[in-house]
Amino acid sequence: MLKLKRKSLLPGFLFPAALLLFVAEWLRGAYLVSFLPNYLVQHANWTVALAGIAVSTHYLADSAVKPFAGYLLDRYSTKIVLQVGFLIAAGGFALTLSAGSGWITTIASGLMGIGLSPVWLVGVRHINEENRAAQMGALYAFWMAGLGLGPVILNLVLDGGIAIGVILLLSFVALGGIIASVCRFSIKDFDRIERTSMKAQWKSVRENIKNNRLILPAIILQTTGAGIIVPFLSSFALKRLALTNSELSMIMVLAGACVVLLLVPMGKWYDATKSRWFLVCGFGLFAVSLAGLTAMRSLAGATLMAIVMGFAYAMLLPAWNALLSRHVPAQSPNMGWGVLSSLEGMGVVLGPLIGSWVVAKGSLASPFLLCAGLYGLIGLSYILMPSEVFGSKRSVEWSKA
């Protein structure tokens, strides 16, 4: 029943989108988690708080343009939209290197967010509804591999100097542009999808969210939690846990590998059961591991908590996407995903700002404890949701990809 078939999980039409997603998220993770904090604090003499503001700006811009990016993808060539996006990303990175003030740096970070915004929408529109969670597990594996390997590899490279890091980041910007230009992005029957206005699309999504009011705070809170800890992950590991860059990279590789290896099996399992406990247990384990991390003082303890986080993340991600897809109208799927992604992005924007304030008032451990509390509440919220929310009958039918 849970037998994995490679062609059904990652068919030919999905692979180019998955590969581009890997490159984009590698670039995003390396830029936000490793390069930006390192460059601003050690080379531009700015504070860690500014890094948090720059991260918020990146995700604010990414979230703000996603509905518009979806609108463009529903109406114009995918290649053109992606190519323009990577040109904007390249401009944002160049502006980062030439920035003479903190405000210019935040603008540059925002341009990077705008440029990478369409990539995720291109990926999710290629998913077949029949085995959504399993294929999303495969797509998430590429996403997670890129997002995890980016900071890991760049941390290792930065030990050799900032110039090498700059060259590597520029190489991935160029690679993304090449993939967007030479690969074919298409889905079956896409041309038959009925186009609707952005106003009508938003109204349709809003009506479906009203049918399950608990989903909206869950969307915002879970991304808020992630945003709270991301800007301070490296600083916490290096200062509070006394890890070296190499040790941090090793832990991130182990946790990321755990996620990547388990995403597809977890997705297949969820497709078979549609159980709310994937979300309840996933968020619960994540909360426990984050709280436990603040009590660790050794490499072994930190590694154990990271592996638990990886297991929890693999458990909840495919189930969460399958749940979210039930609120995407069929008339204009790219725009629908753009609207929902913007709601998710609200939390990512708020998170770093909240995290910066919590660090200023408390310690480097404070954001992790706050995030643990939020994720514990989210896990409990899924117990309160009605059973039909997780069933096979959808509130909005999705046109088959």
Side-chain angles (χ1 to χ4, degrees):
M1 186 176 183
L2 299 179
K3 184 179 179 181
L4 303 181
K5 296 182 179 179
R6 184 190 62 81
K7 290 185 178 180
S8 65
L9 295 177
L10 196 65
F13 60 81
L14 179 59
F15 181 74
L19 181 61
L20 187 64
L21 183 63
F22 170 83
V23 172
E25 294 305 318
W26 191 103
L27 182 61
R28 192 194 305 273
Y31 177 78
L32 294 178
V33 179
S34 296
F35 180 80
L36 205 55
N38 185 289
Y39 181 75
L40 290 179
V41 175
Q42 298 185 25
H43 296 272
N45 296 320
W46 297 99
T47 65
V48 175
L50 178 60
I53 294 173
V55 171
S56 289
T57 303
H58 177 96
Y59 284 109
L60 174 62
D62 177 90
S63 300
V65 304
K66 262 193 165 63
F68 182 65
Y71 178 88
L72 294 177
L73 287 168
D74 278 334
R75 287 156 175 78
Y76 302 104
S77 167
T78 300
K79 286 181 178 290
I80 293 176
V81 176
L82 290 173
Q83 288 166 357
V84 172
F86 275 95
L87 284 175
I88 294 173
F93 184 60
L95 188 60
T96 301
L97 300 177
S98 61
S101 70
W103 290 110
I104 294 178
T105 301
T106 59
I107 293 173
S109 181
L111 287 175
M112 288 282 288
I114 292 172
L116 299 178
S117 182
V119 178
W120 175 251
L121 302 180
V122 172
V124 295
R125 87 173 191 188
H126 285 73
I127 300 298
N128 286 322
E129 198 58 42
E130 290 81 0
N131 54 349
R132 162 165 288 277
Q135 283 195 0
M136 279 306 306
L139 193 65
Y140 271 128
F142 278 79
W143 172 77
M144 189 67 190
L147 194 61
L149 287 175
V152 168
I153 294 175
L154 199 66
N155 277 340
L156 297 175
V157 167
L158 287 176
D159 288 338
I162 196 72
I164 302 177
V166 169
I167 293 172
L168 186 59
L169 285 167
L170 285 174
S171 299
F172 267 78
V173 173
L175 179 60
I178 292 171
I179 294 173
S181 299
V182 303
C183 290
R184 181 181 178 184
F185 301 93
S186 61
I187 60 173
K188 185 180 179 181
D189 294 337
F190 175 67
D191 291 336
R192 300 182 203 173
I193 295 176
E194 181 184 352
R195 273 59 165 173
T196 59
S197 68
M198 188 177 294
K199 181 179 179 180
Q201 182 69 42
W202 171 252
K203 181 179 179 181
S204 181
V205 174
R206 185 181 60 190
E207 290 299 319
N208 284 281
I209 289 178
K210 282 183 178 179
N211 295 331
N212 180 18
R213 296 181 184 275
L214 286 174
I215 196 69
L216 183 57
I219 290 173
I220 297 174
L221 286 178
Q222 76 170 45
T223 50
T224 297
I228 286 174
I229 62 174
V230 164
F232 311 102
L233 182 60
S234 296
S235 297
F236 178 83
L238 299 176
K239 296 180 180 180
R240 179 68 180 257
L241 301 178
L243 301 179
T244 65
N245 279 329
S246 296
E247 288 172 337
L248 174 59
S249 296
M250 181 193 72
I251 291 176
M252 293 176 71
V253 167
L254 288 174
C258 180
V259 176
V260 171
L261 291 174
L262 291 175
L263 272 171
V264 173
M266 287 293 181
K268 292 285 288 184
W269 193 4
Y270 180 81
D271 278 333
T273 63
K274 298 293 190 295
S275 173
R276 73 177 71 220
W277 293 104
F278 281 83
L279 293 165
V280 175
C281 295
F283 280 109
L285 281 175
F286 213 108
V288 170
S289 58
L290 279 173
L293 187 63
T294 63
M296 295 296 114
R297 292 295 183 272
S298 67
L299 175 62
T303 302
L304 176 62
M305 291 298 100
I307 291 174
V308 174
M309 286 184 206
F311 180 85
Y313 210 46
M315 178 178 287
L316 66 89
L317 271 182
W320 166 250
N321 182 271
L323 176 62
L324 198 62
S325 71
R326 295 166 62 83
H327 300 281
V328 179
Q331 292 84 359
S332 190
N334 287 313
M335 194 186 301
W337 276 110
V339 171
L340 290 177
S341 296
S342 290
L343 293 176
E344 288 186 298
M346 290 173 59
V348 180
V349 171
L350 292 173
L353 298 177
I354 295 173
S356 297
W357 181 82
V358 170
V359 166
K361 297 294 183 179
S363 67
L364 279 174
S366 300
F368 293 84
L369 292 172
L370 177 59
C371 183
L374 283 177
Y375 281 169
L377 289 174
I378 294 170
L380 291 175
S381 74
Y382 288 113
I383 298 178
L384 303 176
M385 289 186 184
S387 299
E388 57 267 22
V389 171
F390 305 91
S392 59
K393 184 178 180 180
R394 307 182 59 209
S395 58
V396 179
E397 287 299 324
W398 175 275
S399 60
K400 302 303 181 184

